[in-house]
Amino acid sequence: MRLREFGACESAVLIDSRELPHNCTREADLCIIGAGAAGITLARQFTGFGLRVALLESGGLEREPDRHDLLRGQFEGPFRGPNDLTNSRCRYFGGTTNRWWGTCRPLDAIDFEERPWIADSGWPIGSAELEPFYRRSAEIVNIPEFEEYEGDGQLLAFNLANRQGRPRVVPKRLYRSNPPTRFGEAYRRELEDAPDVDVYLWANVLDLGRKVDGERIESARVASHPTRTFSLRAKRFVLSAGGFDIPRILLNSDLDRGGLGNHNDLVGRYYMDHTRLLVVGNWFSTDTSFGTRRARHRAEAEPPGQRGQGYQVFTPTARVQREEHLLNCGLVLHQRPARHTKISGSEPYVESYGLASALDGTRLGHGRLQVPQVSVSASGMVLDNVVKFYNEHIPLRHSRVQLLPERDPFGQRRIKVDWRTSDQMDRSVRTNLELFAREFGRANRGRLRIGFRGWSPPYSEQGRLASHHMGTTRMSRDPRQGVVDANCKVHGLENLFVASSSVFPTGGFANPTLTILALTLRLADHLQKTGES
Amino acid sequence: MKKRLSRRELLISLATVGTATGLGLSCRWLEGTVPTLDLHSMGPWLGHMKHLGEAYLETSPNERQEAVLLYLLSERFAALPGGTLAERARQSVRFDFEAGDTFEAHGWVLSRTEGRLAALTLNHPVP
Ligand SMILES: Cc1cc2nc3c(=O)[nH]c(=O)nc-3n(C[C@H](O)[C@H](O)[C@H](O)COP(=O)(O)OP(=O)(O)OC[C@H]3O[C@@H](n4cnc5c(N)ncnc54)[C@H](O)[C@@H]3O)c2cc1C
């Protein structure tokens, strides 16, 4: 049933699954499950291709309480509490890009490598293979063509090359457009106009069905309402429901046999998220041109409507990561308004906030973290010079998504997420921060204060998980080490694929969506080349 | 370069060591005052440096005697390639960071040279 009138829009051709007869069967060549960044991008690659595509989205066009409730579950970890599951995802058309900030960066070449000091690291594909897809992805999220760290000029400007001319840390960029691309808004019209793509809204996939021990998925069981279901039969299926809901669908399918694609007990394991330590220390420099990010509010980072140049992030070079056995990371020097702002700005007073006074215990800052107030803007605003730190998560088997016995109103079992860290991760954060402190000191660009003492309070109170759900259906050539192969096909199943950060074996420090898009475009190429029309 | 430097000379080098780092005095204050810098008018700054010096000596207690500090700093500066005292102080700081010869004061990562220079202020009277 195609609707000519749909909600607030004029010429929409979208399918309201709630209007479909109970127990009916629909057909497609390709069934894509989840209409977020990945699902929408994949569907767009098939417009005019000659295949019948069904894009199934659990929610409608905006946030609705009953769909949002499906996100509830349990979360165990050092940062935010149970809300993490509901805050970190959106359950409606456009997916989590309805909330995301749009910061983008490709993974570094070293992130794809097998690094002997990081157990279970190594992608079956390299960065060169993703490069052309990264370039196309940049268009989709409206950021400029990115460059790798932008040559010797910048190193020299920052005085970061040492006496042998070999840098130990390098400046790179995190790109962001303002406003961030909201996939639901940006690409809805294109999908509405596509004659070969059916977008099913309120189509909540419960599980996937196959013949007993069969190697092909035959259909998806879909619920538009807790008491109304239909079946979507297709030749091929792609899961693009996000890093928590993909393992959830797999584990809820073939439930009594331990879940689909789970013969090696890997589905849901190796869950990783970037830790974003908002104040991992402070910095001082009178030289504010040195890579400082000064924004009162995120939206101020980029002029509206422009392709985002983003802001500076410092990272250890691949050579140093190898030599010192470090995880990758990114450090941003950030100036943000202190909470009890505004002082007169008269000069001697301003100067008394120099590092010298910050070092004086009697004057050490304010607030729980003892942040020294060290700069004053032209308008007399007191600015905290804080160090933000984005850390690569180490792949750990016991960091995982599991099913709970509790079911949601659609009968799907809810999830429990255990986010785990390790001593190696702690050591790496600390060593990386010391490295930055030494390099900035050597280059005489400023001094760093290291606040990090592990994940327990008060540092955890300043930290966040970044809502980057990675690793839960990891990629490996070997079925004993991964859920999907190098083409993102689920091992042991002929026609089931995954488009998500859930396939990342490791996640670097960069925000994941650009890489999700690059992998999705690559998957689209693969599906088209191997197509069954 | 003189073999043994005085506390006053070394403190002036500290005041000028790194305006970018904020440990020294600001450029504006220094303008025209070097080399006749009057440390007695720098009371608050000296106060801060004393705290830093104490933090350094906690990490290196065997350098508590001023004579030891003067000796170590004079030797170090004499061995550097050249230039004014302030330039040598800056070089010394840079080489410390390069060699990882640092210490932590209230979490701030600072060079040993900065720590030693700051420790010299402990015997300097605050006006
Ligand atoms: C506050 C916030 C800020 C962020 N900022 C950034 C950033 O700056 N940069 C960055 O790279 N990333 C950021 N992210 C992460 C980013 O949003 C995700 O990486 C990205 O949206 C993932 O795309 P996806 O298509 O895999 O999943 P999603 O965008 O989450 O889409 C999944 C879709 O699947 C649907 N779905 C789920 N289950 C089912 C089901 N059973 N049946 C049918 N449909 C289903 C959902 O409703 C949803 O529409 C941020 C996230 C948050 C929460």
Side-chain angles (χ1 to χ4, degrees):
Chain A
M1 174 176 314
R2 289 184 156 243
L3 304 179
R4 291 230 60 82
E5 282 290 314
F6 196 97
C9 63
E10 336 70 56
S11 67
V13 187
L14 300 167
I15 297 174
D16 181 345
S17 310
R18 294 169 304 185
E19 310 267 314
L20 296 173
H22 179 49
N23 267 342
C24 72
T25 300
R26 310 284 293 190
E27 305 251 339
D29 294 308
L30 177 64
C31 172
I32 303 170
I33 297 167
I40 288 177
T41 301
L42 188 63
R44 288 179 62 227
Q45 308 314 305
F46 283 88
T47 59
F49 187 73
L51 292 185
R52 186 100 233 130
V53 176
L55 175 58
L56 305 182
E57 169 51 47
S58 168
L61 290 174
E62 54 193 31
R63 184 181 148 158
E64 292 164 19
D66 63 328
R67 300 288 151 154
H68 192 70
D69 174 74
L70 300 178
L71 304 175
R72 279 199 300 108
Q74 271 179 30
F75 184 86
E76 304 277 339
F79 296 123
R80 288 176 297 173
N83 280 345
D84 234 304
L85 290 185
T86 48
N87 282 342
S88 64
R89 291 175 291 162
C90 298
R91 194 77 173 221
Y92 58 100
F93 188 67
T96 313
T97 66
N98 288 299
R99 283 197 62 196
W100 79 321
W101 299 335
T103 309
C104 287
R105 212 202 121 70
L107 292 175
D108 296 334
I110 190 172
D111 297 330
F112 294 89
E113 291 171 15
E114 187 179 337
R115 290 166 280 171
W117 63 99
I118 302 177
D120 295 312
S121 61
W123 291 51
I125 56 174
S127 64
E129 201 165 333
L130 275 194
E131 162 82 17
F133 301 106
Y134 269 134
R135 306 242 161 243
R136 283 166 58 196
S137 307
E139 287 274 325
I140 296 173
V141 287
N142 203 27
I143 58 163
E145 284 233 340
F146 39 83
E147 297 154 48
E148 219 9 276
Y149 81 88
E150 333 337 309
D152 296 343
Q154 209 172 7
L155 288 180
L156 285 177
F158 287 163
N159 200 15
L160 281 176
N162 63 14
R163 273 180 294 176
Q164 291 78 42
R166 296 167 92 188
R168 291 171 61 76
V169 304
V170 286
K172 294 180 179 170
R173 297 201 81 73
L174 284 167
Y175 300 92
R176 169 186 282 175
S177 63
N178 184 21
T181 308
R182 308 263 172 243
F183 280 62
E185 287 165 27
Y187 300 116
R188 173 173 144 195
R189 175 54 65 89
E190 189 182 320
L191 291 179
E192 283 169 357
D193 291 345
D196 38 9
V197 178
D198 294 324
V199 179
Y200 291 77
L201 297 174
W202 295 286
N204 187 40
V205 173
L206 302 177
D207 47 42
L208 301 173
R210 59 168 172 171
K211 291 213 179 94
V212 179
D213 286 335
E215 290 185 350
R216 292 183 67 82
I217 302 299
E218 311 235 300
S219 62
R221 195 163 63 94
V222 193
S224 56
H225 179 270
T227 57
R228 292 173 78 88
T229 55
F230 67 98
S231 194
L232 196 307
R233 297 179 65 84
K235 293 181 179 132
R236 289 185 293 181
F237 292 81
V238 177
L239 287 166
S240 52
F244 284 167
D245 283 292
I246 291 171
R248 186 180 179 192
I249 293 170
L250 288 172
L251 292 172
N252 268 295
S253 309
D254 260 6
L255 196 56
D256 41 0
R257 299 155 70 97
L260 264 184
N262 198 27
H263 29 275
N264 287 308
D265 187 20
L266 287 170
V267 172
R269 291 192 179 272
Y270 291 98
Y271 159 55
M272 302 173 287
D273 197 333
H274 294 124
T275 48
R276 192 159 44 207
L277 293 167
L278 300 182
V279 180
V280 73
N282 305 90
W283 56 277
F284 186 86
S285 171
T286 53
D287 176 2
T288 47
S289 68
F290 181 49
T292 309
R293 174 168 181 231
R294 183 189 282 197
R296 229 169 263 184
H297 188 269
R298 279 177 221 120
E300 284 179 30
E302 297 305 329
Q306 286 193 13
R307 285 190 152 214
Q309 286 302 322
Y311 48 90
Q312 196 87 34
V313 59
F314 293 92
T315 71
T317 58
R319 182 176 56 84
V320 168
Q321 288 179 52
R322 276 192 202 100
E323 280 170 7
E324 305 203 11
H325 293 182
L326 298 172
L327 294 160
N328 205 348
C329 70
L331 177 135
V332 175
L333 301 175
H334 188 91
Q335 279 192 319
R336 62 172 200 190
R339 257 150 282 154
H340 355 282
T341 51
K342 283 267 179 191
I343 57 169
S344 75
S346 72
E347 263 187 37
Y349 191 35
V350 174
E351 283 175 0
S352 79
Y353 279 87
L355 179 56
S357 64
L359 284 162
D360 182 335
T362 58
R363 291 202 187 208
L364 256 180
H366 68 276
R368 276 183 303 208
L369 279 173
Q370 301 281 295
V371 179
Q373 304 170 336
V374 286
S375 311
V376 177
S377 72
S379 60
M381 177 77 77
V382 181
L383 299 168
D384 279 347
N385 291 6
V386 297
V387 174
K388 284 188 174 186
F389 193 71
Y390 304 83
N391 191 45
E392 174 171 21
H393 194 289
I394 196 162
L396 296 170
R397 205 178 140 80
H398 55 293
S399 185
R400 67 187 296 199
V401 176
Q402 282 170 284
L403 293 184
L404 287 170
E406 185 196 341
R407 292 178 187 262
D408 68 21
F410 287 83
Q412 240 198 341
R413 282 172 66 179
R414 293 191 187 271
I415 50 169
K416 174 183 178 200
V417 179
D418 258 312
W419 181 77
R420 299 290 181 86
T421 169
S422 72
D423 290 348
Q424 188 183 356
M425 226 165 111
D426 289 16
R427 272 198 308 279
S428 183
V429 173
R430 177 91 206 158
T431 313
N432 270 320
L433 286 167
E434 281 166 6
L435 171 72
F436 288 118
R438 288 212 303 269
E439 285 307 291
F440 293 165
R442 187 192 55 70
N444 201 25
R445 307 307 297 214
R447 298 287 183 271
L448 236 60
R449 175 178 158 271
I450 299 177
F452 182 74
R453 298 280 180 277
W455 306 104
S456 49
Y459 303 99
S460 58
E461 288 163 26
Q462 291 289 323
R464 292 272 155 79
L465 290 183
S467 307
H468 302 159
H469 306 150
M470 301 174 286
T472 50
T473 60
R474 66 201 320 261
M475 184 196 281
S476 170
R477 281 209 182 83
D478 181 349
R480 288 162 308 176
Q481 317 241 320
V483 176
V484 302
D485 67 13
N487 288 318
C488 298
K489 187 182 78 61
V490 175
H491 283 294
L493 291 166
E494 280 173 11
N495 63 343
L496 180 61
F497 298 82
V498 177
S500 167
S501 46
S502 64
V503 306
F504 294 10
T506 53
F509 78 90
N511 309 54
T513 307
L514 200 71
T515 306
I516 296 176
L517 296 179
L519 286 169
T520 301
L521 295 175
R522 181 171 166 273
L523 174 61
D525 275 14
H526 174 75
L527 292 174
Q528 289 174 359
K529 277 186 203 133
T530 56
E532 305 168 48
S533 58
Chain B
M1 169 122 175
K2 235 169 48 168
K3 193 85 186 121
R4 182 62 74 88
L5 297 163
S6 71
R7 183 207 300 154
R8 188 176 177 284
E9 286 169 306
L10 285 165
L11 287 185
I12 290 173
S13 82
L14 173 60
T16 59
V17 72
T19 52
T21 67
L23 275 188
L25 293 167
S26 94
C27 293
R28 267 184 306 284
W29 284 15
L30 281 175
E31 236 164 58
T33 58
V34 177
T36 56
L37 183 66
D38 173 13
L39 286 171
H40 283 271
S41 64
M42 302 300 165
W45 176 77
L46 275 176
H48 302 319
M49 285 301 120
K50 281 177 192 287
H51 278 96
L52 172 55
E54 274 158 12
Y56 173 71
L57 289 179
E58 266 167 37
T59 67
S60 300
N62 50 355
E63 294 181 20
R64 280 202 181 276
Q65 286 177 10
E66 184 176 88
V68 174
L69 288 167
L70 288 174
Y71 171 79
L72 290 169
L73 284 163
S74 302
E75 290 286 301
R76 165 81 173 194
F77 286 6
L80 291 168
T84 64
L85 193 52
E87 279 161 7
R88 282 168 199 256
R90 272 194 287 274
Q91 263 175 23
S92 174
V93 168
R94 193 171 77 239
F95 294 163
D96 284 348
F97 277 114
E98 199 151 297
D101 198 3
T102 55
F103 73 103
E104 272 192 38
H106 307 295
W108 291 94
V109 179
L110 302 167
S111 78
R112 183 178 292 283
T113 303
E114 287 168 326
R116 283 179 177 157
L117 287 168
L120 281 180
T121 60
L122 287 172
N123 288 331
H124 202 83
V126 175

